[in-house]
């Protein structure tokens, strides 16, 4: 059984060593910090729901914990529907 958001619960709270960015169909949608033990589990689970993972080298993440991260809001294209008057 595959839960759509199971990957969001991956993480153990230990100091993170890696950052993974997860891209949806059109844009970057999520970023997560992970320890070495959990990065492969997160990548596998996120891939199952159609996200495309990019693994970035760790650097200065002393304050980040495994499982922490960001969820980015959906991106609306500039000049999309109803937005043409705002173009310069
Ligand atoms: Zn972990």
């Amino acid at each position: 059984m595959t839960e759509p958001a199971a990957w969001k619960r991956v993480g153990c709270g230990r100091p993170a060593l890696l950052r993974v960015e997860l891209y949806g169909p059109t844009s970057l949608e999520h970023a997560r910090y992970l320890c070495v033990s959990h990065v492969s589990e997160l990548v596998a689970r996120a891939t199952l729901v159609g996200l495309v993972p990019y693994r970035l080298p760790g650097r200065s993440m002393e304050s980040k914990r495994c499982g922490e991260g960001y969820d980015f809001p959906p991106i609306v294209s500039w000049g999309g529907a109803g937005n043409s008057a705002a173009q310069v």
Side-chain angles (χ1 to χ4, degrees):
M1 239 177 86
T2 303
E3 291 183 57
W7 67 269
K8 287 191 172 186
R9 293 195 297 273
V10 175
C12 63
R14 296 192 316 198
L17 296 173
L18 294 160
R19 174 185 164 116
V20 173
E21 296 190 335
L22 299 166
Y23 285 78
T26 58
S27 65
L28 174 60
E29 295 190 359
H30 313 278
R32 284 294 183 277
Y33 297 96
L34 294 155
C35 74
V36 287
S37 304
H38 283 108
V39 65
S40 57
E41 182 182 357
L42 177 110
V43 164
R45 288 180 183 270
T47 302
L48 280 178
V49 295
L51 294 164
V52 180
Y54 286 85
R55 176 171 156 169
L56 284 77
R59 55 180 179 216
S60 65
M61 291 179 185
E62 295 82 9
S63 62
K64 300 297 182 187
R65 300 266 161 190
C66 179
E68 288 184 351
Y70 307 104
D71 296 314
F72 296 94
I75 289 177
V76 178
S77 72
W78 193 254
N83 202 25
S84 55
Q87 284 189 353
V88 181

